[in-house]
């Protein structure tokens, strides 16, 4: 198997959507997921509106990433696409009713995401490294495996969102920590690409 068939990269955008999803779940469902922050409740969307906006943005991002992977089948595709969002945070404004909530969530996420040794990017990429090795070993000798990208989110997978799109697979690192998590995720990924 060629070494460049599997790419691994942490998506800033998908993890930010997970982060904001947790904010809304904490508020509307009384959960205590990270981040446990207080935002102006008048600045939050109705829960159904948020779910719709989140799903629409998630699906559009995966579609754009899939199209980018056709031209650049490597982890660079995710970096290039994420930069479009990072340099234009107003693309996320529709996730909140008011700008102050949007800015508070954005600033908190940025400070955590980029932190060394405990930040989202650092943890996701280090945890997913073992998964990549396991998949590479499992696929050794298979010649008909396409190039694909694996990316992770830091918490439980949000309900109703796609975990796979064409040549992309998204997994939750919390699922990886479960008994048989590595095996189960490897099987899900392989089944996606076998179908």
């Amino acid at each position: 198997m060629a070494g460049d068939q599997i790419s691994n990269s942490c998506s800033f955008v998908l993890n930010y959507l997970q982060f904001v999803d947790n904010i809304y779940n904490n508020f509307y469902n009384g959960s205590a997921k990270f981040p446990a922050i207080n935002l102006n409740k008048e600045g939050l969307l109705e829960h159904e509106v948020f779910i719709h906006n989140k799903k629409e943005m998630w699906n559009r991002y995966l579609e754009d990433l899939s199209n980018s992977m056709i031209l650049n089948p490597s982890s660079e595709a995710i970096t290039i696409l994420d930069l479009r969002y990072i340099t234009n945070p107003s693309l996320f404004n529709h996730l909140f009713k008011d700008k102050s909530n949007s800015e508070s969530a954005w600033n908190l996420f940025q400070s955590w995401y980029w932190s060394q040794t405990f930040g989202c990017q650092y943890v996701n990429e280090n945890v997913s490294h073992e998964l990549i090795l396991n998949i590479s070993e499992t696929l050794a000798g298979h010649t008909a495996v396409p190039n694909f990208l694996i990316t992770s989110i830091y918490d439980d997978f949000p309900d109703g969102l796609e975990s796979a799109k064409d040549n992309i697979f998204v997994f939750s690192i919390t699922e990886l920590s479960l008994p048989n998590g590595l095996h189960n995720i490897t099987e899900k990924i392989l089944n996606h690409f076998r179908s």
Side-chain angles (χ1 to χ4, degrees):
M1 184 178 92
D4 62 351
Q5 284 185 314
I6 304 172
S7 297
N8 175 32
S9 188
C10 179
S11 167
F12 178 96
V13 173
L14 297 182
N15 277 284
Y16 183 64
L17 289 172
Q18 170 71 75
F19 184 86
V20 175
D21 186 65
N22 283 357
I23 291 171
Y24 275 89
N25 276 322
N26 290 345
F27 182 77
Y28 283 107
N29 300 328
S31 55
K33 293 176 168 275
F34 177 81
I37 62 171
N38 290 322
L39 294 178
N40 168 13
K41 87 174 186 181
E42 287 78 31
L44 295 176
L45 298 170
E46 295 295 321
H47 202 208
E48 296 76 26
V49 173
F50 167 72
I51 289 170
H52 170 79
N53 290 354
K54 171 193 67 177
K55 185 174 184 177
E56 186 177 78
M57 188 171 205
W58 182 282
N59 290 342
R60 184 174 56 245
Y61 178 85
L62 288 182
E63 181 71 31
D64 289 347
L65 184 55
S66 179
N67 291 335
S68 296
M69 285 287 292
I70 293 168
L71 301 172
N72 185 6
S74 73
S75 60
E76 284 181 22
I78 208 167
T79 303
I80 292 166
L81 183 57
D82 277 0
L83 279 173
R84 277 192 237 157
Y85 287 85
I86 293 167
T87 57
N88 192 1
S90 64
L91 292 171
F92 297 99
N93 285 350
H94 69 291
L95 299 176
F96 294 97
K97 202 182 286 184
D98 78 25
K99 192 173 180 177
S100 67
N101 277 355
S102 185
E103 288 174 352
S104 294
W106 178 258
N107 291 336
L108 180 60
F109 181 76
Q110 289 250 67
S111 65
W112 171 62
Y113 183 84
W114 302 113
S115 294
Q116 292 296 326
T117 70
F118 68 89
C120 182
Q121 181 185 36
Y122 178 85
V123 171
N124 277 358
E125 289 184 353
N126 282 292
V127 167
S128 63
H129 180 72
E130 185 179 351
L131 178 63
I132 299 299
L133 293 176
N134 187 280
I135 293 168
S136 295
E137 289 171 11
T138 304
L139 293 178
H142 292 77
T143 55
V145 177
N147 289 333
F148 62 94
L149 174 74
I150 296 173
T151 188
S152 56
I153 55 173
Y154 75 92
D155 205 346
D156 297 330
F157 211 85
D159 290 336
L161 298 180
E162 293 182 64
S163 63
K165 172 83 174 155
D166 302 329
N167 47 358
I168 302 158
F169 191 88
V170 184
F171 74 96
S172 163
I173 62 170
T174 57
E175 184 181 356
L176 192 59
S177 66
L178 296 173
N180 297 319
L182 181 62
H183 172 76
N184 293 340
I185 292 174
T186 301
E187 282 303 306
K188 284 181 186 177
I189 293 168
L190 295 177
N191 288 336
H192 170 69
F193 291 106
R194 287 177 187 137
S195 60

